[in-house]
Amino acid sequence: MRVEILGQERRRRWGDAQKLDVVMSIGLDGATVTEVAHRHDASRQQIYGKRLADGA
């Protein structure tokens, strides 16, 4: 079986300020982790990782 990857791999670098903004937006106006992740084109796991890493 042969697998081809089409296009350039997208790997984003999150700055500390961006991480904090994303994490702090959880709960604003009732926003859930899932909604925040979707809004920022990230997975829930990435958001949870940022919450733990930033101590939020």
Side-chain angles (χ1 to χ4, degrees), residues 5-52:
I5 299 175
L6 303 175
Q8 186 175 10
E9 180 181 346
R10 189 178 80 180
R11 186 176 186 114
R12 205 175 335 178
R13 302 285 182 210
W14 295 82
D16 290 339
Q18 289 175 304
K19 289 180 189 179
L20 186 59
D21 286 343
V22 170
V23 171
M24 295 305 289
S25 66
I26 298 168
L28 292 178
D29 298 324
T32 65
V33 172
T34 301
E35 291 167 342
V36 170
H38 182 71
R39 189 178 317 141
H40 293 281
D41 194 28
S43 70
R44 287 188 343 241
Q45 291 78 9
Q46 287 174 306
I47 303 299
Y48 280 116
K50 288 171 184 42
R51 284 181 73 179
L52 296 175

